[in-house]
Amino acid sequence: MAEQRKSWLRGRVETALVKGLTRAYSTVRVDPARFLVQLRTAYRVPISGYHGVFSLEVGELDAVADSIVSSGMKVAAIEGAGFGLGGLITIVPDLGILSAITMRTIQKLSLLYGFEFNTDDEIAQLWIAAASAAGVDISRDLLEKEVVNKFVPRVIQRIAAQASAEVVEKWAGRVIPLVSSALGAALNYWFVRAWGERAKAHFRERHLQLRQRELQN
C-alpha cells in the first residue's frame, strides 16, 4: 500500500514538474538588463556588462551566488508554507510556482557567472545547467542533434523524472494540512538550496574554464 502511494505521488510530482518547468521555459525569464542593475546596486558588483564578471575575484562572485540562492530559498519557503496548508491537494500549483522560483534562481546564477541566454545555444546551455542541478547528465551529442524547441522539452522530461524520484520520499508527508504547512516550507527551502548549489557549481566550473581559456589565448 505504501509503495502504491509513493508511486502515485511520484507520478503527480513528475507531471506537476513537467507542467511547471514547461511554463517556466515559455513565460518566466529574468531580464538581464534589470538584473545587471540589481547586481550593481543591491550586490555592489562593479561591472558595466556581464563580461566584466571575468575580471572580478571568483570568491566575490561566489558570495553573491550564495546570496542569490539564499533569497530563492526564502521565497520558496514562504510559498511552500502557504500552499502546504492544503496538503497534497495543492501540490500541482505549489510545484508550478516552485519551478518558476528555481528557474529564476538558475537564470540569475547563469548571468552572475557571465553566461547570458539570448541565442538558442545559450538557452540550451541554461537547460543543461538546470539538468545538472537536478542531477541529470545531458550529453553534448543530444544538444547538437536537436533544435532548441525539441531539445528543451526532452530535457524537462528527464529533469522531472529525476527530481520526482529525489523528492517523493520527503514530500510523502504532505498529507496533514497544518503539519504540511511547515513541511512544505522546509521542503521547498531544501529543494531550492539543493538545485541552487548544484547550479552554482555548474556555472562556476564553466566560468573557470573560460577564464583559463582566455589566459591561454
Side-chain angles (χ1 to χ4, degrees), residues 43 63 69 100-101 103 106 155 201 206 216-217:
Y43 294 105
V69 174
I101 294 169
M103 282 308 303
I106 291 173
V155 174
R206 285 186 62 203
Q216 292 171 351
N217 291 337

Side-chain angles (χ1 to χ4, degrees), residues 192-208:
V192 175
R193 183 182 69 180
W195 282 46
E197 288 177 351
R198 292 175 195 155
K200 174 190 169 185
H202 176 92
F203 290 123
R204 190 179 193 276
E205 182 179 357
R206 285 186 62 203
H207 179 92
L208 292 174

